[in-house]
Amino acid sequence: MAASNGGTLADALDAGPVLLDGGLSNQLEAQGCDLSDALWSARLLADAPEQIEAAHLAYLRAGARVLITASYQATFEGFGRYGLDRAGTEALFARSVKLARRAADAARRAGPGRETWVAASVGPYGAMLADGSEYRGRYGLSVGELERFHRPRVAALAAAGPDVLALETVPDLDEAEALVRVAEETGLPYWLSYSVAGGRTRAGQPLEEAFAVAAGRESVLAVGVNCCDPDEARAAVELAVAVTGRPAVVYPNSGEGWDAGARGWTGRSTFTPDRVRAWTRAGARLVGGCCRVGPDLIAGLAGRLVESGEAEEPENPANPASPEKLEGAENPESPEGAET
């Protein structure tokens, strides 16, 4: 699917690196949002959608050209525990795409800018469990069982009309196989992105085998890693390109560690914008940040890409009106069955 103002994301990747956004949750927390319950940022799709739109706008102002939706933690099962029925949950999936579209439209109305695209986030099964198991994988489920879990929500997200699907933070190749099979059914382009540690998947499998899951797939746009230590990124990018022959996607976290029990971050940030040149030289074409990487660091990545000649200076660098004053940033109507 093309961006509302022009070409496809695949065409853009052929021309050079394209900048993703950064961590949605940290930006929402910076805006004063409470993300302490099991639904994490997905809860705000029902309770405070204007905050999600404002977070998207912050990344657009920083130079991002691809917005990843707030659907990572959104599942039928998760919303069902809060009393939301199937129709209401589907409406929230659709809202996640709509909010990203509205942010892109609002930024474009504020002045001429570059093409933007919306990627519908599809998180792993473990994200629904909200116990940190998305960083371990190996849930005890077969590929077929994982397909059955992912198929309804991937179909619902695809029906909402994103430009691409982001199969992200995948911890093991069995789940990757299930996600890729389901994504291929939609006809949408997609990227596949693993969370890795020590040069292997979080479940401990060799990355060469993990990346091979996407090799030869018709609709795969890029393959790579996200939500990993920045030190893991370059080697993973090189291997992803060598195994699949596709562009790589890379958006590490800050380098801090997540303590699932305490639900907090530990350690220090090692993410610096200077790293982006090593990633693009290794074959990365979708570059950005994940958890704890905010608009300031995304703006830094944008600046480095411009300095290296790999990207053009934005026509509208960045300062549309504040989110609360942008036309169309009001709270959308609540989906049927959702509590707001």
Side-chain angles (χ1 to χ4, degrees):
M1 182 179 294
S4 57
N5 52 336
T8 67
L9 182 53
D11 291 338
L13 296 184
D14 286 341
V18 175
L19 188 60
L20 300 168
D21 56 12
L24 183 62
S25 61
N26 48 269
Q27 178 58 25
L28 290 168
E29 287 176 332
Q31 293 169 194
C33 300
D34 178 7
L35 306 182
S36 60
D37 71 17
L39 283 175
W40 204 25
S41 55
R43 177 183 59 80
L44 301 185
L45 289 169
D47 291 353
E50 72 283 356
Q51 292 284 0
I52 294 173
E53 187 173 346
H56 288 319
L57 281 162
Y59 283 114
L60 289 172
R61 291 196 300 273
R65 298 178 63 193
V66 180
L67 296 175
I68 302 175
T69 64
S71 51
Y72 173 84
Q73 199 100 357
T75 63
F76 288 101
E77 294 80 359
F79 282 124
R81 289 194 291 267
Y82 283 70
L84 198 62
D85 63 15
R86 187 179 185 86
T89 299
E90 288 177 343
L92 291 182
F93 288 146
R95 177 178 285 181
S96 72
V97 175
K98 180 180 179 181
L99 290 170
R101 288 271 184 234
R102 284 158 58 97
D105 289 346
R108 190 168 54 252
R109 285 195 299 272
R114 295 174 297 175
E115 292 173 318
T116 56
W117 297 270
V118 172
S121 173
V122 181
Y125 175 85
M128 179 269 295
L129 302 176
D131 62 358
S133 60
E134 71 264 41
Y135 296 108
R136 299 188 298 272
R138 307 284 82 185
Y139 316 114
L141 300 178
S142 68
V143 172
E145 288 171 324
L146 289 167
E147 280 188 64
R148 287 191 288 276
F149 168 77
H150 286 294
R151 183 170 285 110
R153 71 183 185 128
V154 169
L157 284 167
D163 298 299
V164 300
L165 298 172
L167 314 180
E168 57 178 355
T169 326
V170 181
D172 69 71
L173 62 84
D174 284 350
E175 185 158 30
E177 181 67 42
L179 281 165
V180 164
R181 290 180 188 177
V182 170
E184 289 281 340
E185 296 169 1
T186 69
L188 285 174
Y190 60 89
W191 75 69
L192 172 64
S193 182
Y194 289 92
S195 177
V196 301
R200 303 174 77 85
T201 70
R202 289 284 186 161
Q205 300 120 337
L207 284 186
E208 185 171 7
E209 295 178 15
F211 293 141
V213 170
R217 299 284 187 171
E218 181 178 351
S219 298
V220 67
L221 189 69
V223 184
V225 294
N226 78 289
C227 207
C228 62
D229 191 296
D231 290 341
E232 301 265 357
R234 180 174 180 174
V237 165
E238 291 175 341
L239 187 59
V241 172
V243 170
T244 68
R246 296 287 193 175
V249 55
V250 57
Y251 48 119
N253 59 34
S254 67
E256 297 163 88
W258 173 250
D259 184 332
R263 293 188 65 80
W265 293 93
T266 61
R268 64 182 184 85
S269 174
T270 60
F271 189 107
T272 63
D274 290 337
R275 291 176 179 265
V276 72
R277 288 291 290 121
W279 303 342
T280 57
R281 287 180 182 134
R285 288 296 175 269
L286 280 169
V287 297
C290 200
C291 300
R292 308 282 284 180
V293 176
D296 55 340
L297 288 172
I298 295 302
L301 292 180
R304 297 301 187 277
L305 292 175
V306 171
E307 289 169 7
S308 67
E310 295 179 279
E312 296 179 358
E313 186 77 40
E315 293 177 44
N316 173 26
N319 204 10
S322 61
E324 60 270 24
K325 294 181 180 179
L326 280 167
E327 180 186 353
E330 71 276 3
N331 193 339
E333 294 182 4
S334 300
E336 181 180 353
E339 295 182 3
T340 57

